[in-house]
Amino acid sequence: MELTPMMQQYHQAKARYPDAILFFQLGDFYETFFEDAELVARELDIVLTQRDGHPMAGVPVRRADVYLQRLLRRGYKVALCQQVERPGKGKGLLERRVVRVLTPGTVLEEEALDPSQDVYLAALVSEGGKVGVAWAEAASGEFYAAQVDLPELPHLLAGISVQEWLLPAEAPAPLELPGPKTTRPLSEFSATRLRGRFPGSLPQAELAARAAGAIVAYLEETVGDLHHLRPPVWRDATGAMVLDPFTQRSLELIAPLRPEGKLTLLSVLDRTKTPMGRRLLRRWLLSPLRDRAQIEARLDAVEALIQGARWEPLGRLLSRVCDLPRLLGRVGTGRLRPMNLVALRRTLQTLPEIQKELPEDSALLSSVLQALEVGPQGLAQEIDRALVDDPPPEPGEGGLIRPGYSPELDRLRGEAARLKEDIAALEEKERAKTGIPTLKVGYNRVLGYYLELTKAHVHKVPPHWRRRQSLAGGERYTTPELSSLAEDLLQVEGEICALEERIFQELCSRVGEALPALARVGEALATVDVLRSLAEVAHRNGYSRPRFTDRPCIRIRDGRHPVVERTVEFVPNDLFMDEGVNLAVVTGPNMAGKSVFLRQVALIALLAQVGSFVPAKEAELPVLDRIYARVGASDALAGGLSTFMAEMKEAAQILSGATDRSLVILDELGRGTSTHDGLALAWAIARHLAENIRCKTLFATHYRELARLAERVRGVINLHMAVREWKGEVIFLHRVQPGVAEQSYGVEVARLAQLPPKVLAEARRMLEELEKSVPIAQGHGQQLPLFGPEDHPVVAALRGINPEKLTPLEALELLFQLKEKAG
Ligand SMILES: Nc1ncnc2c1ncn2[C@@H]1O[C@H](COP(=O)(O)OP(=O)(O)OP(=O)(O)O)[C@@H](O)[C@H]1O
Ligand SMILES: [Mg+2]
């Protein structure tokens, strides 16, 4: 079939962007065709129609943002092919061009961006065991680069929110990467590209420079010229504490482990007032510091802000500040609108007040102060002199610029006012002349100015008036004098709008010149915002300043879990692991608080290195290089691996990565296999950590046999969660005490979980029988035979039971099996 010229145009555009959905503008709609149409109709839930027998689906141009956002979130790319000519009479095919390619990692449009999260495009290029990584945010122009050894890569990436990966087509990714991927020829991963764009100070490392070069090329391809893209900041991967994705998840830093959970460390700590502050806090939490001086500098700032409750007025001021980094994206891509300048004006006008509130007794806050002081000089005043308080949404509509700013504009406005007066006077004059009392001058967009009268007076109309429109009750006319005045007025108003638009563009270029200064102000504001938020949280939640020691000891007095304490009456706990004490084995019944205690220790250490105060009466800690936290087998994280396999892989990672400066939190490791194997592995892993690696380890377990490590290995202590029995019920005290737990109370906990009474009674009877026939060692004073007779198959099976997870039916079946094993 012969293609229409328009469809030929479509195919040409589509051929150039085969991996993007082509949004093809037809008047007020963006249309998609063929497979694109089918995909878009499905993904956006819109109607699939036909044009010349081809599938077609479209969205209104005006509401395209919403649809674009949905497609980008699902990882698609969209090429916007717009009409670049205005339709006019006699025009054939309009010219259309792809003006922009939207991809998940390069979005600029605020409507499609999550304000509380960085949106990074990241490029990776690897060679000989090393990887160059660069990441940038198109919306703000932030740009970073790093080079690491391959094993370090997951740790580096763990701290960055990447929405799209850019990889060389010829080489596979060096590791599994989540999210949308784009490939480009290896030749585009070129350092020359970067050096062309940013001559001067650049990453030394060749691979990092090549990755950064690919970012520059891809941004130019998809977004066009980004004036606000900053030279890449070199990131030293060794500068931050290492938190891998498992640890981030186990500690619920950003996202809750279970979907129904709401609170996370981020949600508890986030009292920021600005979007850039919120994004920075997230980054700080995901990559705590390792440099003691830097940590102390943050702590000094937080302390200074707490004193005299300086965080309060600062909070009010920061609420007035706009998302400066992302506004710079609008500057850099020429998309500033009057409302953006209003937001910028208000932000800049707030700076002096913020400066006044900043305490001077902190080096970090002083540097913030400096950035604010140097800021873009005179820009706020200039915007304020030019722009009215409440401007229209678009420039070029009039009413944008203040009187007194431009003499030429004032003259034109005076002239327009005079012409309007003349038109009003004309009404009076014609009314007197014709004797029509109802004669009025009116205006609408279609006719312009006209004279209107009621039908009753039509016979009085002079012959030189021209009728323009008949209405039900009246007639509209124009006269040569009126049309001449109206024409002059139209002319003058056109000039006014054009001049206003010119002035607006000049203002925009002034803002453009201030880009680097504004970027520094944006960073400074984000920093104060985060420090202020930390101060407020510390004050409201009763946190204290942590102290650091060069010796490998952890001393926490009355420590709390920052998130759990928000929801329950919390019992604070101590942890003392002095020099030479490396491993604490934590036992205790189900529900006693082992997991909470382990995590609270990790979170206190992490917060301390973020530069935050901590939920404890006192905390003294070494500066840690890594924190590993693992939740046990109940949480199979890695897809495609059995629970046990995943658990062992994680353990292997820890054993190869942990150092004597690390903190390791193991919660019920070894639960996913038979009791013997599980216990043996737990034993061996814990021993290796304590004896060979000598990191600080907290190991929660139901294997009370592990407590015997303390007798065999130096530097191992036993802790347990205290419970009390009262009138046949278990009361959880949530208190950590030295020694080993005496009982499991599994059946008691099962009762709390409302297992049927019949099943519980049978379980109790069985337990008694088991305990009679196979004496289980009580207390920690007694020798616990590690692999002794206590591991009768029934005991072993019982140990493997997690009553919380059993359905009544499964419980019953289990009892039958146990009975059978017992013979
Ligand atoms: N220090 C505490 N103060 C108050 N409540 C606490 C404390 N510690 C834990 N809890 C409460 O007890 C519940 C269970 O705690 P946790 O999950 O740590 O138990 P556990 O010993 O790990 O149990 P399991 O062996 O079944 O994993 C928590 O959800 C919390 O509500
Ligand atoms: Mg637990």
Side-chain angles (χ1 to χ4, degrees), residues 298-348:
R298 286 189 189 170
L299 287 169
D300 286 344
V302 173
E303 185 162 348
L305 288 166
I306 293 174
Q307 269 159 17
R310 300 295 266 282
W311 53 268
E312 265 186 322
L314 271 174
R316 278 194 297 279
L317 293 170
L318 283 166
S319 312
R320 286 197 230 150
V321 157
C322 70
D323 193 342
L324 197 49
R326 289 198 175 166
L327 188 138
L328 299 187
R330 286 195 161 259
V331 182
T333 50
R335 291 177 307 119
L336 272 184
R337 299 167 80 195
M339 55 176 273
N340 303 127
L341 287 191
V342 172
L344 179 61
R345 171 173 65 191
R346 196 170 52 181
T347 303
L348 294 177

Side-chain angles (χ1 to χ4, degrees), residues 618-648:
E618 266 178 66
E620 189 180 351
L621 303 144
V623 176
L624 303 167
D625 62 350
R626 303 163 176 238
I627 295 181
Y628 286 102
R630 291 294 182 267
V631 280
S634 61
D635 209 49
L637 305 162
L641 289 180
S642 83
T643 312
F644 179 68
M645 188 60 189
E647 211 183 349
M648 287 304 116

Side-chain angles (χ1 to χ4, degrees), residues 363-544:
L364 189 53
L365 290 176
S366 300
S367 71
V368 162
L369 194 63
Q370 248 172 12
L372 297 186
E373 272 169 354
V374 184
Q377 297 300 327
L379 188 57
Q381 289 84 332
E382 189 157 348
I383 298 175
D384 197 41
R385 262 190 340 108
L387 209 63
V388 297
D389 287 337
D390 198 5
E394 299 293 339
E397 290 176 359
L400 184 70
I401 304 299
R402 278 194 209 280
Y405 181 74
S406 150
E408 174 63 6
L409 185 62
D410 290 348
R411 189 187 67 74
L412 287 170
R413 282 181 174 158
E415 204 167 306
R418 260 193 313 283
L419 286 166
K420 281 186 183 161
E421 272 168 26
D422 289 353
I423 291 174
L426 188 125
E427 179 184 294
E428 278 299 304
K429 203 171 76 187
E430 294 291 353
R431 201 184 286 167
K433 257 209 259 179
T434 57
I436 303 174
T438 55
L439 187 70
K440 267 195 287 211
V441 170
Y443 173 84
N444 70 27
R445 274 176 173 270
V446 184
L447 295 184
Y449 285 93
Y450 51 77
L451 287 161
E452 185 174 332
L453 43 94
T454 48
K455 285 240 157 84
H457 299 285
V458 171
H459 61 281
K460 297 183 194 160
V461 168
H464 66 281
W465 287 20
R466 223 157 35 85
R467 179 156 48 202
R468 300 293 316 273
Q469 195 181 22
S470 291
L471 306 168
E475 298 284 333
R476 290 172 174 174
Y477 295 89
T478 181
T479 72
E481 193 185 357
L482 180 59
S483 17
S484 145
L485 283 172
E487 212 164 282
D488 290 352
L489 183 59
L490 204 68
Q491 165 87 20
V492 173
E493 280 176 341
E495 283 174 36
I496 291 177
C497 291
L499 181 55
E500 284 206 349
E501 183 146 11
R502 224 166 39 239
I503 297 175
F504 180 75
Q505 291 310 335
E506 277 163 22
L507 276 181
C508 293
S509 17
R510 272 285 288 126
V511 178
E513 286 159 24
L515 266 177
L518 286 171
R520 279 193 298 276
V521 170
E523 259 169 30
L525 287 174
T527 308
V528 201
D529 194 19
V530 176
L531 292 168
R532 195 214 69 84
S533 175
L534 293 179
E536 178 174 349
V537 173
H539 171 82
R540 287 188 192 272
N541 300 354
Y543 292 2
S544 68

